[in-house]
Amino acid sequence: MSAAEAAALIPAGANVGMSGFTGSGHPKLVPQALATRIEAEHAAGRPFQVNVWTGASTAPELDGALARVGGMRQRLPFQSDPVCRDRINAGEVDYLDIHLSHVAQQAWFGFLGPLHVAVIEVLGILPDGRLIPSAAVGNNKTWLDIADKVILEVNSLPPAEMEGMHDIYYGTAIPPRRLPINLTQPIERIGEPYLRVDPAKVIAVVPTHHGDRDTAFAQPDAVSNQIAAHIIDFLAHEVKVGRLPRNMLPLQSGVGNVANAVLAGLLDGPFDDLLGFTEVLQDGMLELIKRGKMAAASATAISLSRPALQEFTDNIAFYRERIVLRPQEISNHPELVRRLGVIAMNAMIEADIYGNINSTHLMGSGMMNGIGGSGDFARNGYLSFFVTPSVAKGGAVSCIVPMVSHVDHTEHDTQIIVTEQGLADLRGLSPRQRAQVIIDKCAHPDWRPLLQDYFDRARSQGAQHTPHLLGEALSWHQRCLETGSMRA
Amino acid sequence: MSAAEAAALIPAGANVGMSGFTGSGHPKLVPQALATRIEAEHAAGRPFQVNVWTGASTAPELDGALARVGGMRQRLPFQSDPVCRDRINAGEVDYLDIHLSHVAQQAWFGFLGPLHVAVIEVLGILPDGRLIPSAAVGNNKTWLDIADKVILEVNSLPPAEMEGMHDIYYGTAIPPRRLPINLTQPIERIGEPYLRVDPAKVIAVVPTHHGDRDTAFAQPDAVSNQIAAHIIDFLAHEVKVGRLPRNMLPLQSGVGNVANAVLAGLLDGPFDDLLGFTEVLQDGMLELIKRGKMAAASATAISLSRPALQEFTDNIAFYRERIVLRPQEISNHPELVRRLGVIAMNAMIEADIYGNINSTHLMGSGMMNGIGGSGDFARNGYLSFFVTPSVAKGGAVSCIVPMVSHVDHTEHDTQIIVTEQGLADLRGLSPRQRAQVIIDKCAHPDWRPLLQDYFDRARSQGAQHTPHLLGEALSWHQRCLETGSMRA
């Protein structure tokens, strides 16, 4: 049926589980048709909102369209859309920012309430009713399993040869009936290539022929390249002293410029036979696979720029042997991240001198995107890097601060902090030792004396495990809110 | 040999891995002999300190003795000794506060440096050299495996019939060679009852006949009983609506009065066939087992009051069938905590209105004890409770604050906050929704209007995802530092 007919089947107030992860594999038409319908309902004076659950971020056709018309009451577990973000920060959308490995189980446990409708993009429907997954698996298995009703968007644009690339694990259960997840290598297959759905629940099938979000790939800038160089030097040193095997351990890489730069740096680095165990496979990892530096990678989604998508499509048989796409519950599972010993690299907004990390909030109150899977990997990985340029806003903001304005990753979970200035290896250090290393290695020279001054004065009074001056710990942020700059 | 002779074998500057977890199973004589030696060295003008690694907290004979003489340079991963705490907060001891499930692997990975000497209490040595573990397993397996030299204290006081109660898992490995840990029920046995040690490394065997720390068991007070009642009501409701099985899921319980009260409440509660999967087995859980309410429990240590220890000793055959003691790497393992669906109950110092938890720091800078295993269980459990009385210091301090002065568990990891005032179920709520529930249910009535005022004013300006007034977010703590009270 048409997207408008399908959207008409979604009731006001429904919890709607949609596909989509990092701009890939989201439904392209039904959310827009739903937004149109909501706009008409609002024009007629009738309230109409839905709660939107996804894998992670989507695209303007989903988050943007529904947020623009005020059609979203609740949103979980991750978003990165500018219109949606504005609605969240205006207090109009209740946003639940959840570890990506926790979402499916919280839904299964009944902690999020019932799922009324699932809207899932697939590449095809087999004669026996099984579904060929799209470019993102995300939470699709769970949404299809638990939803009362299912709407399928069948997208004929992505390469049909992706069939067989997915590994959908059907061995999960609710405690006390859980068993070990028997995956011991990143691209080992432990499930099936297809999604199951009860045909009796399918209330609509909508054909589409639309591309995913156009994920532009920026060439790394100088700052990103410097951060990447510090990381690669460090990894080479860890190999040299025997704390990492020669081909390292499976890599997880967050999204963004710095992640791209690190992966680009690995192209010319001394490491071979690399493996990936990550959330999102982007251009950088595809290039490593193409060039033979990375043997294989596991992810929950593939999100490429236009040229990289062309390369992927043109050589799909090659990539299908080397890439496995899994549910995000598995790609990010603490059990697997710890067992495999993943090397986690994630971006942040700011770090404080004691190693606490803010990944989500601007000046303590405003949501940027969300924690995503960074906690799944940082807590459980073998090594955990958090990276950021040392300053933002043309130098008016230091990304190393006395105290972060929001904590997403605690001092207990941070091992290595990197800026273009340098790398702080925090392993085996107490808070005071960490502070000196972070100030010396990571802070921008313009801000270093101010951080040192804060730390020195904090060390001159009060309890000395984590010396703070609470009266001014957040004053840099407060000043920035008032003047646009952290500078006094 | 004598303890003094053994202590003489520990070099200055050594990393020393000692046994001991929650006042149980620590070496009783060698640390005191070492302290005596250090005192003599200092008197002679010679510097002498060691770095002390344990399972968790120990007793005055270990942490107290070494801290008193200034003999400790570094301490990890947990302590609760008043003398040691003072040294840490004076800035004299570098204290590394580490998730208890992370310690063994960080040592294996080489992140903490070499372990020069292990000092381990055991109950006996078999003819083939294997060791009968004591009342706490902790990190003993790891210390014995990786230490250059080993000193054994053989304690003849604890009941010899504890032999066979332990399950030492030797299946761990360093990535990329890790395999699933095939434990699917709390007291399933996956290892061996004995610790292994290379006899060539054993440089001393010291006989002792000393009891563990005398862990006084206080009868729960009214506040603790109210907190317990809220939790038990909540659990009964979860069973009723089908979100928990009738016998619940395995319980993890932190130490302290509230934990005791909850366990005491379960004695008369509607639940049978309970299971424990916890760090420390204390009087409350022993009583549940004795009375037939709990079928069995897994822990890494058993830490009892004098009367409970008598009961345990008198009926050891009964308890040996129902209690398994494991390495803390296993008792707290994220893989197992998540698989088993543990119900985690942990104490805290304070919570903020958005659900961030401070478990460790007094007024942001001073260390209390440490994070212990609370993060292992809170992040990975099926349900996670954090509990505290709503006020401290006779009402001068609110334990619900606008912003916590230190974050150990983020908003992403907190599900249920409980004070004697009530229970805030935060599952499925956005930050603003959480704030109203926490203020309404958990804050003390004396502090509720002040919290509401902060929240209301924060909602009137700025970004509204997590509304804060950064200029006053920590002012309650600052005032308390200045005046001894959070009151204006």
Side-chain angles (χ1 to χ4, degrees), chain A residues 73-74 88-99 101-102 105-106 109-112 174-185 238 242-243 245 247-250 329 332-335 337-342 356 360-367 371 375-376 378-383 403-413 415 427-434 462-475 477-478 481, chain B residues 73-74 88-99 101-102 105-106 109-112 174-185 238 242-243 245 247-250 329 332-335 337-342 356 360-367 371 375-376 378-383 403-413 415 427-434 462-475 477-478 481:
Chain A
R73 180 79 207 86
Q74 182 201 60
I88 290 167
N89 288 326
E92 296 167 16
V93 175
D94 283 315
Y95 179 46
L96 279 65
D97 179 21
I98 306 175
H99 297 298
S101 83
H102 284 198
Q105 69 171 13
Q106 288 191 12
F109 296 165
F111 295 174
L112 303 174
I174 293 176
R177 294 181 304 279
R178 280 185 171 161
L179 297 172
I181 301 171
N182 285 312
L183 183 142
T184 57
Q185 299 293 334
E238 291 296 297
R243 282 193 294 257
N247 68 336
M248 299 213 285
L249 286 165
E329 187 177 10
N332 288 33
H333 203 295
E335 173 174 341
V337 173
R338 177 154 164 160
R339 182 181 305 148
L340 297 173
V342 170
N356 299 287
T360 58
H361 281 62
L362 295 173
M363 304 300 146
S365 296
M367 173 52 58
I371 193 169
D376 297 321
R379 170 75 67 90
N380 298 297
Y382 182 89
L383 285 176
M403 178 184 271
V404 287
S405 60
H406 183 89
V407 178
D408 294 290
H409 309 287
T410 74
E411 51 160 337
H412 313 281
D413 293 322
Q415 291 181 312
R427 294 174 299 170
L429 300 187
S430 70
R432 275 168 299 134
Q433 293 172 318
R434 278 182 235 143
Q464 291 297 304
H465 178 62
T466 307
H468 264 305
L469 304 167
L470 292 187
E472 58 178 281
L474 297 171
S475 62
H477 299 87
Q478 180 62 22
L481 283 170
Chain B
R73 179 78 207 87
Q74 182 201 61
I88 289 167
N89 288 326
E92 295 167 17
V93 175
D94 282 315
Y95 179 46
L96 279 63
D97 178 20
I98 306 176
H99 297 298
S101 81
H102 284 198
Q105 68 171 14
Q106 288 190 13
F109 296 165
F111 295 173
L112 303 174
I174 293 176
R177 295 181 305 279
R178 280 185 171 162
L179 297 173
I181 301 171
N182 285 311
L183 182 143
T184 57
Q185 299 294 332
E238 291 295 298
R243 283 193 293 258
N247 68 335
M248 299 211 287
L249 286 165
E329 187 178 10
N332 288 33
H333 203 294
E335 173 174 340
V337 173
R338 178 154 164 159
R339 183 182 303 148
L340 297 172
V342 171
N356 299 287
T360 57
H361 280 64
L362 295 172
M363 304 299 148
S365 297
M367 173 53 58
I371 193 169
D376 297 321
R379 170 74 66 91
N380 298 296
Y382 182 88
L383 285 176
M403 179 184 270
V404 287
S405 60
H406 183 88
V407 177
D408 293 291
H409 309 287
T410 73
E411 50 159 340
H412 313 281
D413 294 321
Q415 291 182 311
R427 294 173 298 170
L429 300 187
S430 69
R432 275 168 299 136
Q433 293 173 318
R434 278 182 235 142
Q464 291 297 303
H465 179 62
T466 307
H468 264 305
L469 304 166
L470 292 187
E472 59 178 280
L474 297 172
S475 63
H477 299 88
Q478 179 62 22
L481 284 170

Side-chain angles (χ1 to χ4, degrees), chain B residues 47-106:
Chain B
F48 196 122
Q49 288 188 311
V50 294
N51 301 323
V52 179
W53 308 355
T54 63
S57 66
T58 65
E61 307 101 286
L62 198 168
D63 275 314
L66 287 168
R68 194 173 313 104
V69 300
M72 231 183 249
R73 179 78 207 87
Q74 182 201 61
R75 179 75 178 89
L76 67 85
F78 186 86
Q79 64 76 41
S80 66
D81 183 84
V83 183
C84 185
R85 180 187 302 133
D86 286 349
R87 293 278 183 174
I88 289 167
N89 288 326
E92 295 167 17
V93 175
D94 282 315
Y95 179 46
L96 279 63
D97 178 20
I98 306 176
H99 297 298
L100 294 187
S101 81
H102 284 198
V103 183
Q105 68 171 14
Q106 288 190 13

Side-chain angles (χ1 to χ4, degrees), chain A residues 409-484:
Chain A
H409 309 287
T410 74
E411 51 160 337
H412 313 281
D413 293 322
T414 312
Q415 291 181 312
I416 301 145
I417 291 179
V418 196
T419 71
E420 83 286 356
Q421 298 295 322
L423 180 149
D425 178 3
L426 309 178
R427 294 174 299 170
L429 300 187
S430 70
R432 275 168 299 134
Q433 293 172 318
R434 278 182 235 143
Q436 197 57 61
V437 174
I438 292 172
I439 293 170
D440 290 345
K441 303 274 185 163
C442 297
H444 190 280
D446 289 355
W447 292 96
R448 208 173 285 155
L450 295 165
L451 291 163
Q452 189 69 51
D453 173 64
Y454 176 88
F455 182 47
D456 289 345
R457 285 185 294 118
R459 273 190 299 184
S460 72
Q461 60 157 77
Q464 291 297 304
H465 178 62
T466 307
H468 264 305
L469 304 167
L470 292 187
E472 58 178 281
L474 297 171
S475 62
W476 296 22
H477 299 87
Q478 180 62 22
R479 198 152 48 230
C480 189
L481 283 170
E482 290 166 4
T483 69

Side-chain angles (χ1 to χ4, degrees), chain B residues 294-361:
Chain B
M294 180 170 276
S298 161
T300 192
I302 184 159
S303 175
L304 302 172
S305 70
R306 208 162 294 182
L309 181 61
Q310 194 60 54
E311 156 67 24
F312 173 73
T313 306
D314 291 347
N315 299 285
I316 188 117
F318 173 82
Y319 291 110
R320 203 174 44 218
E321 298 293 308
R322 290 163 178 82
I323 296 171
V324 172
L325 299 179
R326 312 178 182 282
Q328 70 194 67
E329 187 178 10
I330 303 299
S331 67
N332 288 33
H333 203 294
E335 173 174 340
L336 305 180
V337 173
R338 178 154 164 159
R339 183 182 303 148
L340 297 172
V342 171
I343 297 174
M345 296 183 283
N346 289 287
M348 61 177 163
I349 290 172
E350 59 183 4
D352 68 28
I353 56 173
Y354 296 112
N356 299 287
I357 305 293
N358 174 10
S359 298
T360 57
H361 280 64

Side-chain angles (χ1 to χ4, degrees), chain A residues 203-423:
Chain A
I203 57 172
V205 177
V206 178
T208 69
H209 190 76
H210 287 76
D212 284 324
R213 187 175 77 194
D214 190 17
T215 304
F217 180 84
Q219 284 304 319
D221 56 17
V223 164
S224 299
N225 282 333
Q226 284 169 306
I227 294 174
H230 295 311
I231 293 178
I232 290 168
D233 281 355
F234 175 86
L235 291 170
H237 177 259
E238 291 296 297
V239 170
K240 194 173 161 194
V241 298
R243 282 193 294 257
L244 275 178
R246 277 214 66 79
N247 68 336
M248 299 213 285
L249 286 165
L251 299 174
Q252 176 260 336
S253 167
V255 301
N257 272 350
V258 176
N260 281 338
V262 173
L263 296 177
L266 289 172
L267 281 174
D268 306 313
F271 313 106
D272 291 296
D273 293 319
L274 297 171
L275 293 165
F277 194 79
T278 194
E279 273 177 18
V280 192
L281 194 143
Q282 295 193 286
D283 288 30
M285 220 172 253
L286 196 81
E287 186 74 12
L288 283 168
I289 297 172
K290 177 185 172 187
R291 300 261 293 269
K293 295 290 278 185
M294 179 170 277
S298 161
T300 192
I302 183 160
S303 175
L304 302 172
S305 70
R306 208 162 293 181
L309 182 60
Q310 193 61 52
E311 156 67 24
F312 174 71
T313 306
D314 291 346
N315 298 286
I316 189 119
F318 173 82
Y319 290 112
R320 204 175 44 218
E321 298 294 307
R322 290 162 178 83
I323 296 172
V324 173
L325 299 179
R326 313 178 181 281
Q328 71 193 66
E329 187 177 10
I330 303 301
S331 66
N332 288 33
H333 203 295
E335 173 174 341
L336 305 182
V337 173
R338 177 154 164 160
R339 182 181 305 148
L340 297 173
V342 170
I343 297 175
M345 296 182 282
N346 289 286
M348 61 176 164
I349 291 172
E350 58 183 4
D352 68 29
I353 57 174
Y354 295 112
N356 299 287
I357 304 294
N358 174 10
S359 299
T360 58
H361 281 62
L362 295 173
M363 304 300 146
S365 296
M367 173 52 58
M368 184 68 197
N369 297 325
I371 193 169
S374 57
D376 297 321
F377 291 100
R379 170 75 67 90
N380 298 297
Y382 182 89
L383 285 176
S384 171
F385 295 88
F386 282 101
V387 303
T388 179
S390 67
V391 291
K393 290 197 173 188
V397 166
S398 175
C399 300
I400 308 294
V401 292
M403 178 184 271
V404 287
S405 60
H406 183 89
V407 178
D408 294 290
H409 309 287
T410 74
E411 51 160 337
H412 313 281
D413 293 322
T414 312
Q415 291 181 312
I416 301 145
I417 291 179
V418 196
T419 71
E420 83 286 356
Q421 298 295 322
L423 180 149

Side-chain angles (χ1 to χ4, degrees), chain A residues 165-180:
Chain A
M165 185 175 263
H166 310 86
D167 187 55
I168 314 298
Y169 182 63
Y170 276 93
T172 57
I174 293 176
R177 294 181 304 279
R178 280 185 171 161
L179 297 172

Side-chain angles (χ1 to χ4, degrees), chain B residues 113-362:
Chain B
L115 185 64
H116 302 102
V117 186
V119 184
I120 308 293
E121 180 184 272
V122 297
L123 300 193
I125 305 175
L126 299 188
D128 65 8
R130 287 181 298 165
L131 309 172
I132 305 171
S134 181
V137 180
N139 286 314
N140 294 357
K141 171 201 163 285
T142 295
W143 296 168
L144 289 166
D145 278 348
I146 68 174
D148 298 333
K149 310 280 182 192
V150 171
I151 295 171
L152 299 173
E153 280 200 10
V154 183
N155 193 344
S156 52
L157 185 71
E161 298 85 351
M162 284 188 73
E163 184 176 345
M165 185 175 263
H166 310 85
D167 186 56
I168 314 299
Y169 182 63
Y170 277 93
T172 56
I174 293 176
R177 295 181 305 279
R178 280 185 171 162
L179 297 173
I181 301 171
N182 285 311
L183 182 143
T184 57
Q185 299 294 332
I187 67 154
E188 197 170 353
R189 289 180 172 276
I190 56 173
E192 316 167 6
Y194 304 107
L195 288 160
R196 306 176 190 167
V197 66
D198 174 2
K201 300 202 297 189
V202 179
I203 56 172
V205 177
V206 178
T208 70
H209 190 76
H210 288 76
D212 284 323
R213 188 175 75 192
D214 190 16
T215 303
F217 180 85
Q219 284 304 318
D221 57 16
V223 163
S224 299
N225 283 332
Q226 285 169 306
I227 294 173
H230 295 311
I231 292 177
I232 289 168
D233 280 355
F234 175 86
L235 291 171
H237 177 260
E238 291 295 298
V239 170
K240 195 173 160 195
V241 299
R243 283 193 293 258
L244 275 178
R246 276 213 69 78
N247 68 335
M248 299 211 287
L249 286 165
L251 299 173
Q252 175 260 335
S253 169
V255 302
N257 272 349
V258 176
N260 281 337
V262 173
L263 296 177
L266 289 171
L267 280 173
D268 306 313
F271 314 106
D272 292 297
D273 293 318
L274 297 171
L275 293 165
F277 194 79
T278 196
E279 271 176 21
V280 192
L281 195 144
Q282 294 193 286
D283 288 29
M285 221 172 252
L286 196 82
E287 185 74 11
L288 283 169
I289 296 172
K290 176 185 173 189
R291 300 262 293 269
K293 295 290 278 186
M294 180 170 276
S298 161
T300 192
I302 184 159
S303 175
L304 302 172
S305 70
R306 208 162 294 182
L309 181 61
Q310 194 60 54
E311 156 67 24
F312 173 73
T313 306
D314 291 347
N315 299 285
I316 188 117
F318 173 82
Y319 291 110
R320 203 174 44 218
E321 298 293 308
R322 290 163 178 82
I323 296 171
V324 172
L325 299 179
R326 312 178 182 282
Q328 70 194 67
E329 187 178 10
I330 303 299
S331 67
N332 288 33
H333 203 294
E335 173 174 340
L336 305 180
V337 173
R338 178 154 164 159
R339 183 182 303 148
L340 297 172
V342 171
I343 297 174
M345 296 183 283
N346 289 287
M348 61 177 163
I349 290 172
E350 59 183 4
D352 68 28
I353 56 173
Y354 296 112
N356 299 287
I357 305 293
N358 174 10
S359 298
T360 57
H361 280 64
L362 295 172

